[in-house]
Amino acid sequence: MESNKPKNDNITPFDGNMMQRCLQLARQAEGYTAPNPLVGCVILREGNIVGEGYHPEAGQPHAEVFALRQAGNLAEGATLYVNLEPCNHYGRTPPCSEAIIAAKITKVFVGMVDPDRRVAGGGIDRLRQGGIEVIVGVEEAKCRQLNEAFIHRSLYQRPWGVLKYAMTLDGKIAATSGHSAWVTGPRSRHRVHQERAIADAVIVGGNTVRRDNPHLTTHGVSPRNPLRVVMSRTLDLPLEANLWQVRENPTLVLTQTGANSQQREYLQNKGVEVVEFPELTPDTAMQHLGDRGFSRILWECGGVLAAQAIAQGAVQKIMAFVSPKIIGGSAAPSPVGDLGFTKMTDALLLEQIKITQIDADLLIEGYLQQRKV
């Protein structure tokens, strides 16, 4: 709505610094808040921070509540910074807009309007009705990037998908034999483990399980691991695999109705969760994970499944690790299988490209133009 457009002429570099602090606080809960957003809050009085907080996980109080508790009586007449519009509805917790008004905050800086239809400007309007000055749009681009998964889920009612792969300079993810350890260096693999730490689930296909026997954990980078998901229509899976060790890290296998009942029973006896669908596709997988409250999904699959995921809109972001190696082989697998394109002009374009050097490797990140946030 018109009243919530950014007022950049009222925003100072100091305000930007305070919003950066909100983002820093919010990131402490990366991987824990789905389906909720990442939110941090700072309260300032007479130039001094008197309260800080962040939303730790779904069901817990929001960032504003923790900051207000820390500030106590010092919140009266103070200025509040928060990277996402305060809520104005009753969910698992009471509305933050009412708590801010009750604390007698006089000014609020908001990073971005909440895309959730239950909020969508209502929290800002309520604060203004309560006599509070509200400035919107502080470090908005960075605020949106932090919560890109939440924004996508709010707009499309499905999780945000990131396709990650590692390839050689000539576009291969493995040798003709299928051997792929390792395409990239240790620091690139460490970055992948960091990405897993903030993902709600990581998906592979059955071929990856058979060929690579992955762990799909964070390898100690974080105490938190994502749900490990295997998509296999036929359940043609090995009896022994690292993914079937579920004492500490759960695994979910998605398959089609009636597939290999003996293997299904075996996996279930090992503690692996198995869910059947009449037709298993990336779309049905994402719908199921969305129903479980997940927001950020990391696809680490092979080329065939990657192409299907892209074609069905299950991928919004690409993370391509490129190693300065040449392996050759006309039959060596590539990161994305057949998309049905026959002309270069059909190629999918990425935008907002970011290139990072990681030792000898390059990480190329970008967003598919479809379904952009």
Side-chain angles (χ1 to χ4, degrees), residues 111-365:
M112 61 169 284
V113 175
D114 193 330
D116 189 324
R117 284 172 291 185
R118 295 172 298 177
V119 187
I124 292 169
D125 288 342
R126 180 67 188 99
L127 293 177
R128 287 174 174 160
Q129 291 167 8
I132 297 175
E133 180 183 359
V134 183
I135 307 295
V136 184
V138 187
E139 298 287 348
E140 182 171 5
K142 293 178 181 177
C143 293
R144 294 181 67 84
Q145 184 176 30
L146 176 71
N147 274 310
E148 57 192 6
F150 170 74
I151 295 171
H152 185 83
R153 181 183 172 89
S154 297
L155 294 177
Y156 301 108
Q157 290 75 57
R158 56 187 287 147
W160 167 263
V162 180
L163 172 63
K164 163 265 161 186
Y165 56 82
M167 69 179 188
T168 60
L169 198 58
D170 55 338
K172 311 297 184 182
I173 60 173
T176 53
S177 65
H179 186 265
S180 61
W182 298 101
V183 175
T184 54
R187 283 189 61 210
S188 291
R189 299 198 295 275
H190 180 82
R191 174 62 189 273
V192 173
H193 300 155
Q194 291 176 320
E195 288 298 316
R196 290 177 187 166
I198 63 175
D200 301 313
V202 55
I203 298 179
V204 297
N207 192 46
T208 298
V209 179
R210 291 187 292 269
R211 184 189 65 212
D212 297 342
N213 192 22
H215 289 85
L216 301 182
T217 65
T218 59
H219 292 264
V221 167
S222 166
R224 179 192 174 279
N225 288 292
L227 176 66
R228 303 175 298 181
V229 181
V230 178
M231 291 181 61
S232 174
R233 291 192 180 98
T234 62
L235 285 185
D236 178 20
L237 299 169
L239 293 179
E240 298 301 323
N242 292 318
L243 294 181
W244 312 155
Q245 306 300 317
V246 297
R247 179 181 298 179
E248 297 181 1
N249 306 313
T251 297
L252 166 67
V253 172
L254 305 180
T255 189
Q256 291 196 165
T257 304
N260 199 334
S261 59
Q262 185 175 359
Q263 177 76 331
R264 183 186 69 242
E265 183 178 355
Y266 173 82
L267 292 173
Q268 290 172 329
N269 288 336
K270 298 277 284 186
V272 176
E273 181 183 1
V274 181
V275 176
E276 296 180 321
F277 299 91
E279 182 180 6
L280 178 62
T281 66
D283 185 60
T284 56
M286 290 296 265
Q287 288 179 7
H288 177 75
L289 295 174
D291 290 342
R292 295 173 79 120
F294 293 173
S295 294
R296 187 181 184 93
I297 309 301
L298 186 61
W299 293 83
E300 293 196 38
C301 52
V304 174
L305 184 53
Q308 295 171 355
I310 290 173
Q312 294 185 20
V315 171
Q316 284 68 51
K317 182 178 181 180
I318 304 293
M319 297 184 69
F321 292 82
V322 183
S323 173
K325 299 175 182 177
I326 295 177
I327 187 66
S330 59
S334 63
V336 180
D338 187 9
L339 287 168
F341 301 154
T342 58
K343 296 181 293 185
M344 189 57 68
T345 50
D346 295 331
L348 299 176
L349 297 177
L350 298 184
E351 57 187 8
Q352 301 179 50
I353 304 298
K354 179 182 178 183
I355 301 176
T356 306
Q357 184 163 355
I358 305 176
D359 288 341
D361 304 323
L362 291 180
L363 168 59
I364 303 174
E365 301 173 81

Side-chain angles (χ1 to χ4, degrees), residues 14-25:
F14 178 81
D15 298 326
N17 290 337
M18 289 300 98
M19 192 58 67
Q20 291 277 15
R21 176 57 182 164
C22 291
L23 297 175
Q24 185 180 35
L25 289 165

